Amino acid sequence: MSITVNQSTRAIEPGERLIDAINRSGIDLPQVCYHPQLGPIQTCDTCMVEVDGKLVRACGTLAEDGMNVATSSARADAAQREAFDRILGNHLLYCTVCDNSNGNCTVHNTTKLLHVEHQEIPYKSKPYEVDMSNPFYRYDPDQCILCGRCVEACQNLQVNETLSIDWENAHPRVLWDGGAPIGESSCVSCGHCVTVCPCNALMEKSMLGEAGYFTGLPEPALNGMIDVVKGIEPELGYGAILQLSEVEAAMRESHIKRTKTVCTYCGVGCSFDIWTKDRHILKVEPAHGPANGVSTCIKGKFGWDYVNSPDRLTKPLIREGDSFREACWDEALTLVARRFAEIKAATGPDSLAFISSSKCTNEESYLMQKLARAVIGTNNMDNCSRYCQAPATTGLFRTVGYGGDSGSISDIEQAGLVLIIGSNTAESHPVLATRVKRSHKLRGQKLIVSDLRENEMARRADVFLHPRPGTDLFWLSAVTRYILDNGLANQAFIDKWVNGAEEYKQSLEPFTLELASQRCGLPIETLTKVAHMIVEADSVCVLWAMGVTQHTMGSDTSTAISNLLLATGNYMRPGTGAYPLRGHNNVQGASDHGAMPNYFPGYQKVDDPVIRAKFEKAWNVTLPPKPGLDNHLMIDAIHDGHLKSMYVFGEEMSLVDSNANYVADALSKLDFFVMQEIFFTETCRYADVILPGSPSLEKEGTFTSTERRIQRLYQAFEPLGESRPDWEIIQDIANRLGAGWKYEHPSEIYREIAPLTPLMAGVTYERLEGYKTLQWPVAEDGSDQPLLYTKQFKFPDGKANFYPLTWSEPTDQQDSEYDLHLNNGRLLEHFHEGNMTYRTEGIREKTPCTFVEVSPELAADRGIETGSWVQLTSRYGKMRAQAVITTRVTGRELYMPMNSVEEPVNRLTSSYTDKVTHTPAYKETSVQLKVLGEAGENPLPRTNSRFGHPTPQNGVEVERKWKRKDYREPGVQLVQIQTR
Ligand code: SF4
Ligand code: SF4
Ligand code: SF4
Ligand code: FES
């Protein structure tokens, strides 16, 4: 198919927007409100073109075979100018003193493109104040051109539904919750609106007064400059003003650095450019992220202050009695190497253990496990996937073969039905959640949520299941049995692709709907409805997280999910599959790269002699043949006296492991404990030597996200003080123990990993340059697999396996003494215990502390008010927190976010674990509650987004603008506008 544009023939793609076809052909067409990731908004009218003699908006028109398009005919040109003139009536062009004038301002660039010298419609100020009430960004109504990009992004991409424009008002503006101050609205500070704003109306506060050479002037002087700029416009025209500002913008290039990086918080894997000036972070600019496009959440967009925090460790510290003294690197590293060597000589290599960081890079995890195995000689090596994701990996290993998400976020987006189990996705994986919310809102995707709390996804769901704690396996198996028993399964798929159907069917015998209903507390009708929705959907993705895995049945429930997907044929196609959502930014990569007790990199078994021989040859050492201790067993081994020394980096073990008192007690018993960290964390208190490592912005390397996507991060800053990239520190320790490593850059480490690791065979830094990514497995020729199972499953016969399961009751159950169930998890604004996020002032302002959610029923029963101090006591410890009364929880179920260093929820959790993986059963905790005196303030301040009142609508609703009496389509009357 083709069209003619300005008399040249251009090929078009089916369903392509006309504006995209024109842009592809390289023709300059004004387009202020259009953003490819938002789709046509049609508010600005600057993209008017003539199609077969008729004026149309190029963004709102689909290209059709044979169209004759003129982008610069007299009528099109006049319409574009008229439309843009109206925009300038809403916007002061003071580019030279504007922090947004960095070569990428759409308003500036369109003024230039159209050679506008003077405007016909004079600028008119709007009768509203600038809104500075959000800690991270401001809205200046006087600069707002009412393009509505922000509204579209908030309503239909982020789907927080905070923004709208009051088109019927005499002076329309952008509204938060229909007219609240930003800081008191439902805005979750994700930054979508700021990112897509085409001018300076919405701007990051960190940019203000910082980006330009003249923009940091005191306000009166700045206003004076703006007046000067406006004063010379009638005489000189905009051409001269723009030229001046472009010279200044070009000068900014020398002090503004843009570095591509990958978010260091959750496993979604958002990537973006970070703009810096010296050590000042100007802004985070997402644009081309393969996982996120222009999307971010509050943490990735605004949560970076920790990098320059005065609390950063900048020198090695050595314990002296009860305190620490600063030391030089040589002294600290020599001490570490000497003590490791002494302990190894005295009590053997297995008396040492190593924990790698899921916050750090793949290369660093690889070196850590190489240090443990090749230099010390132990497989006592683990990472924090043990705390969350190991059961999901096991469930997938058992049934389909690979322990990773079976597709990409784009598959989740296109699924006909999404089933979310035990995941507070909107808060824990916010950008991934936006894709589900968007498909649900705009495309009719069905959504089923099973959770103990009515979280945001549950509120949006078509069906919300609230099973009794720890019973997901039961209802999942009952639904699968119902599907199989009633001939609703995908028998053709099972026959062709799945082994073990008969044995599996027999194992489902006890899982009747009646029993499931009794045990899980769910109506039979709801369960049958879920079954029918699943089989009727054209494709199903199941998302799950710690609400499933952190149980004694974590591996089995993950397996039950995969069994259900197999029974319904929901693998091997786009829009289907299993998606355990990885928590940390690089928890997937840490395991992939061998930071595990039983696997070399790429899940190659340490007890396989052929594999071991391969690594022995490559590393030129003899390697230990038996799997080592995982981090749960390490703690027991310290208590037993077998484990004497540990080296932990980037892991707040004493707070995030369950039964924190037991863990802390163990750490205090170590003979020699090395911590490598960026802050003096709680776990550091137990250390003998503390080595200052570097956060992601100060080093290079790769991270692997939840969708198995490997991405490069580049260095934005030099390491602070004497801190150093973690891979360099690990290498120095290895070399002091005689290793003789000579890596000069992380790329050299990857050059060693790839040939040893079939899963990553084709991974090279060149193939990952810039925003390029690979989703493992990566073949030697560099081809990767965004969808994991296309031709076969990862078993020798290419088939998947049904895996029979039995039921067992959760541990740490309630009784008359411990009568309440305590659930715990993340909060949108904070990551985990908050060591990083509490160091961003705006985040602290919105969520200053943890709290415990109490149901209205329980509150009434016990006389608890929001703000009441309560003491929670479990069988393992106690802690205090303030209560928040909310309908998110019901009855005798409590919820506590884990963002506290002072009162960590893990003082209450037990040492019970998943039977297979030893993942702690964090979610199986019973407590008693005691009210401590009078209620204080609400621990959630009024500025928290929970108090807002969203105003859902479908995008910007441009039709309302078109209905205004003063609106007429541009170009209907030819308007004379003076041009150069
Ligand atoms: S939630 Fe807030 S920051 Fe995010 S797009 Fe909406 S208004 Fe903007
Ligand atoms: S604030 Fe919103 S409507 Fe105003 S210019 Fe920016 S994106 Fe457009
Ligand atoms: S925390 Fe997760 S969702 Fe938020 S920006 Fe970072 S990677 Fe994206
Ligand atoms: S770009 Fe088409 S109407 Fe704005």
Side-chain angles (χ1 to χ4, degrees), residues 283-329:
K283 70 167 170 175
V284 160
E285 189 188 43
H288 318 292
N292 60 310
V294 294
S295 296
T296 44
C297 76
I298 179 172
K299 300 183 286 295
K301 178 78 180 173
F302 298 115
W304 292 90
D305 289 357
Y306 74 89
V307 176
N308 286 319
S309 162
D311 304 340
R312 279 278 305 278
L313 291 170
T314 54
K315 279 187 168 46
L317 300 173
I318 293 178
R319 175 178 290 281
E320 272 192 0
D322 286 339
S323 57
F324 290 87
R325 67 169 168 83
E326 290 183 349
C328 68
W329 274 104

Side-chain angles (χ1 to χ4, degrees), residues 93-97 101 103 108-109 111-113 115-117 214 229 232 236-252 980:
L93 275 179
Y94 53 68
C95 310
T96 319
V97 290
S101 179
H108 175 107
N109 294 346
T111 312
K112 191 173 163 201
L113 176 69
H115 300 295
V116 176
E117 283 295 328
F214 308 117
V229 174
I232 57 176
L236 288 182
Y238 283 129
I241 295 172
L242 296 194
Q243 267 175 19
L244 182 65
S245 84
E246 271 159 30
V247 171
E248 194 265 350
M251 282 163 58
R252 295 185 191 187
R980 182 153 41 171

Side-chain angles (χ1 to χ4, degrees), residues 190 262-272 284 291-292 295-302 304 425-434 582-585 705 711 828 831:
C190 65
V262 182
C263 183
T264 191
Y265 286 109
C266 89
V268 173
C270 298
S271 55
F272 28 72
V284 160
N292 60 310
S295 296
T296 44
C297 76
I298 179 172
K299 300 183 286 295
K301 178 78 180 173
F302 298 115
W304 292 90
T425 322
E427 299 200 51
S428 303
H429 298 86
V431 166
L432 192 147
T434 66
R582 308 296 176 176
H584 281 272
N585 56 315
S705 69
Q711 316 193 73
L828 171 70
F831 196 81

Side-chain angles (χ1 to χ4, degrees), residues 121-171:
I121 303 169
Y123 166 76
K124 221 162 105 202
S125 172
K126 301 185 191 75
Y128 311 112
E129 295 295 311
V130 176
D131 191 334
M132 299 290 282
S133 62
N134 179 285
F136 305 111
Y137 70 92
R138 70 104 200 258
Y139 173 58
D140 183 352
D142 269 347
Q143 291 299 91
C144 174
I145 59 172
L146 300 168
C147 68
R149 277 194 195 182
C150 57
V151 179
E152 189 69 23
C154 185
Q155 288 285 346
N156 286 352
L157 183 57
Q158 154 69 15
V159 200
N160 205 58
E161 301 171 320
T162 300
L163 296 185
S164 59
I165 292 178
D166 50 352
W167 290 117
E168 292 75 20
N169 194 311
H171 305 281

Side-chain angles (χ1 to χ4, degrees), residues 73-83 970-971 973-975 977:
S73 65
R75 282 182 70 208
D77 184 69
Q80 292 161 12
R81 286 173 191 288
E82 184 186 348
Q973 296 168 329
L974 281 182
V975 178
I977 296 173

Side-chain angles (χ1 to χ4, degrees), residues 31-34 42-45 47 57 59:
Q31 46 198 286
V32 174
C33 72
Y34 183 63
Q42 305 192 76
T43 52
C44 78
D45 294 339
C47 67
R57 295 179 193 88
C59 66

